Amino acid sequence: MSKNRGRKTAAKKFVSGFVSILGRPNSGKSTLLNALTGTKLAIVADKPQTTRTTIQGVWTAESSQVVFVDTPGIHAGESLFNRRMMQTIGEALQERDLLLFLIDATARPGALDEEAVELIRGAGAPVFAVVNKIDAVPKKAALLAVIEQYRQWHEFEEFFPVSALTGEGLEELRTAIVKKMPAGPAWFPPDHVTDQPERFLAAEIVREKILAVTRQEVPHAVAVLVDEWKEEGRLTRISMTVHVERAGQKVILVGAKGARLKEIGTAARVELESILGAKVFLTLFVKVSPKWRENERFLKELDWRAMLGAAPLAPATEAEEEQDGPVTL
Ligand SMILES: Nc1nc2c(ncn2[C@@H]2O[C@H](COP(=O)(O)OP(=O)(O)OP(=O)(O)O)[C@@H](O)[C@H]2O)c(=O)[nH]1
Ligand SMILES: [Mg+2]
């Protein structure tokens, strides 16, 4: 009985909450999510609009649990797909205990940054300004100038200079985050890190490798869907289709004699083997799907949350593949 009472006291002290990570594209939100959770959950690239949906990362300690939510970068975009991304950001502003507004300390603050700040105004939750990439800003005066500009734009609760890349300042940030969390239960078991299905992360890893070797409009035109996922003992067979919007983009992705696609596939396979702890046999197809960013049905298929809510991951891509004569490795 005394044991139970002890537990009750411990439960009372427990704090938990939801924290959204927001900011302009490329400011380092996903790098921060990965650093704070100690797990690679979100892909990272030196290109804007890498993250396309919210990604949950749970961090659990002895007496606290924080559910971080990474979001797409705040940007204006015309396509249905871009508008959907902005919608998810809007949702990530609702009912949160704390917001982390990420600022790229290496970028001179401009009109688009001010607009991004506007978006978080009136969200109702306290906002920490996380000034990221300080490892790349050698001059303290430059850092202070950035902070001063944002201070003029908004009354942030506090400023935290950090480097999501090197880890500098992250423990101070984490301590302050935990202090802001209200009393509450652990919403998830301690070993739960994300709600993101493994196969979605796998498709994202392939997209990350594509982003690393392509430029200009190609990264934005790429979408990756898993067609097949078969676990055979220690071997996992995965087949995916990389969708692009135009034939020229397919040529770029495949490369001379398929060399670029092979490079992408190999890099992805190596990382997947380490994540899954299994040997991976990965097959990639490339398919031209014109205007997929405006295609409601396609966007639904990309959105695993909608897919899980509606129907099991659909085998629709298999049929589509046949129509188009896919290119294999
Ligand atoms: N030097 C430095 N680079 C960083 C740091 N954090 C992130 N980066 C780099 O900044 C780039 C963008 O990082 P991401 O984490 O993908 O940025 P994001 O805000 O999630 O971008 P979107 O998903 O496109 O909105 C990558 O090249 C990262 O390696 C940092 O602390 N220091
Ligand atoms: Mg991101």
Side-chain angles (χ1 to χ4, degrees):
M1 181 146 173
S2 65
K3 208 175 168 191
N4 278 346
R5 216 179 282 143
R7 232 184 248 155
K8 222 174 185 177
T9 324
K12 248 189 197 163
K13 277 193 205 144
F14 204 90
V15 295
S16 62
F18 286 78
V19 178
S20 287
I21 305 174
L22 301 134
R24 297 260 301 131
N26 218 40
S27 52
K29 299 177 294 298
S30 300
T31 310
L32 183 69
L33 175 86
N34 294 341
L36 287 172
T37 56
T39 314
K40 178 161 172 185
L41 299 172
I43 60 165
V44 166
D46 61 351
K47 316 266 187 320
Q49 290 167 44
T50 299
T51 306
R52 293 171 164 178
T53 182
T54 50
I55 299 169
Q56 187 193 76
V58 185
W59 178 77
T60 309
E62 210 176 307
S63 55
S64 56
Q65 183 171 76
V66 184
V67 183
F68 293 101
V69 179
D70 182 19
T71 61
I74 300 169
H75 67 284
E78 287 304 303
S79 71
L80 178 65
F81 187 45
N82 284 79
R83 292 202 304 274
R84 286 280 161 82
M85 277 197 249
M86 287 302 290
Q87 239 172 34
T88 33
I89 297 171
E91 284 156 19
L93 287 166
Q94 315 291 321
E95 294 174 32
R96 297 297 137 121
D97 298 289
L98 179 68
L99 304 178
L100 302 182
F101 184 80
L102 241 72
I103 295 165
D104 181 345
T106 65
R108 185 193 283 264
L112 293 173
D113 301 299
E114 192 176 2
E115 275 173 34
V117 172
E118 286 289 330
L119 196 75
I120 53 155
R121 272 203 196 117
V127 189
F128 283 176
V130 180
V131 187
N132 189 32
K133 307 194 188 182
I134 56 166
D135 60 288
V137 184
K139 290 199 180 121
K140 203 164 177 225
L143 187 63
L144 291 176
V146 170
I147 292 176
E148 189 44 42
Q149 179 59 79
Y150 279 89
R151 203 192 292 282
Q152 280 179 24
W153 282 337
H154 186 67
E155 211 172 300
F156 290 98
E157 182 117 351
E158 222 174 309
F159 281 83
F160 292 89
V162 306
S163 168
L165 200 63
T166 67
E168 198 181 343
L170 290 189
E171 277 322 301
E172 289 88 337
L173 174 63
R174 191 196 296 283
T175 306
I177 292 170
V178 171
K179 267 195 192 145
K180 277 276 163 199
M181 296 297 103
W187 299 106
F188 300 101
D191 59 349
H192 174 99
V193 184
T194 187
D195 60 346
Q196 182 179 219
E198 223 164 37
R199 50 192 287 162
F200 180 78
L201 175 63
E204 286 287 90
I205 298 287
V206 169
R207 194 161 65 84
E208 183 182 63
K209 305 312 169 203
I210 293 170
L211 297 191
V213 296
T214 56
R215 287 179 299 140
Q216 292 168 350
E217 96 276 18
V218 180
H220 300 300
V222 168
V224 183
L225 287 171
V226 175
D227 304 320
E228 194 180 34
W229 185 290
K230 253 197 223 146
E231 283 163 28
E232 300 168 357
R234 284 200 25 80
L235 175 75
T236 305
R237 273 180 208 280
I238 309 170
S239 158
M240 299 191 203
T241 300
V242 179
H243 296 260
V244 289
E245 290 187 320
R246 293 207 301 265
Q249 295 162 345
K250 178 169 170 174
V251 171
I252 292 172
L253 258 195
V254 173
K257 291 187 185 154
R260 188 166 291 118
L261 192 60
K262 193 161 188 167
E263 182 193 341
I264 291 164
T266 305
R269 178 183 54 75
V270 168
E271 187 162 339
L272 286 174
E273 287 184 337
S274 131
I275 290 174
L276 301 173
K279 197 166 160 41
V280 169
F281 189 84
L282 177 66
T283 312
L284 295 180
F285 301 85
V286 181
K287 174 171 158 27
V288 180
S289 301
K291 297 199 175 153
W292 65 258
R293 281 184 277 187
E294 301 292 351
N295 184 329
E296 187 90 41
R297 200 177 78 88
F298 189 94
L299 294 186
K300 195 158 182 208
E301 208 163 320
L302 261 189
D303 180 354
W304 61 263
R305 285 191 181 91
M307 295 305 297
L308 291 182
L313 287 160
T317 43
E318 276 173 33
E320 279 172 17
E321 248 173 48
E322 282 159 20
Q323 294 163 16
D324 212 80
V327 174
T328 44
L329 276 165

